[in-house]
Amino acid sequence: MDIGQIAGLIAAIAFAVVAGFLIYPLIRLGKLFDQLADTVKQAGDHAMPTLDESTTTVTQLNQTLADVNKISAAASTTANNVGALTDLYGSMLGKPVIKMASFFYAVRKTASSFVSGGKKAGHEQDAPDSGHAAAASSPGQAGASRGGK
């Protein structure tokens, strides 16, 4: 054997040793990729039922929200109807009640004026006592006794 063949043999042995050292990490890396593929497959298998349940939940939630919208629309319509009915009762009953109250007030004032002999019925109660009759008869003092009015 000459030097070239010995060098070739040493290179072949070195290549075999390097290949032997590199084969073990490559086998481990292959197993890692297999486990990773299984994990992704399992995650996909578990994700599909979760997505199906989420879809069902969203569908049910949308149905519930549609029901709530119907209820709130009905409540709004009811509130508008109650407001209109209140306005109707106010206009139909409020004005006649005010007119009746005005009428009875006028009748009461007229009756009290008739009973008092034509004097203003509301001013008799404001008249001073008999002891102060002289003070009330002069115009200057009457204004002073009432606070300068």
Side-chain angles (χ1 to χ4, degrees):
M1 278 199 165
D2 63 355
I3 284 258
Q5 290 177 342
I6 294 177
L9 185 60
I10 291 174
I13 292 173
F15 181 74
V17 169
V18 168
F21 282 124
L22 289 179
I23 246 171
Y24 181 71
L26 287 174
I27 291 173
R28 298 273 314 219
L29 186 62
K31 288 182 182 179
L32 177 69
F33 282 139
D34 289 341
Q35 288 177 354
L36 185 62
D38 288 341
T39 303
V40 168
K41 183 180 178 283
Q42 288 175 359
D45 292 343
H46 293 301
M48 293 308 290
T50 304
L51 289 175
D52 290 340
E53 289 177 21
S54 298
T55 304
T56 304
T57 302
V58 168
T59 303
Q60 290 173 350
L61 182 63
N62 285 339
Q63 181 63 36
T64 302
L65 288 175
D67 294 342
V68 168
N69 286 340
K70 289 177 186 177
I71 291 169
S72 63
S76 175
T77 303
T78 302
N80 289 338
N81 289 343
V82 167
L85 192 60
T86 302
D87 290 342
L88 178 68
Y89 281 142
S91 66
M92 290 186 69
L93 296 177
K95 290 178 183 177
V97 167
I98 291 172
K99 287 181 181 180
M100 290 292 290
S102 305
F103 173 75
F104 284 121
Y105 178 75
V107 167
R108 185 180 61 126
K109 282 296 196 181
T110 304
S112 65
S113 174
F114 181 72
V115 169
S116 67
K119 296 179 184 176
K120 292 184 179 177
H123 293 287
E124 285 185 11
Q125 295 173 356
D126 293 340
D129 293 344
S130 60
H132 294 95
S137 62
S138 73
Q141 294 207 355
S145 67
R146 292 190 178 175
K149 290 183 183 177

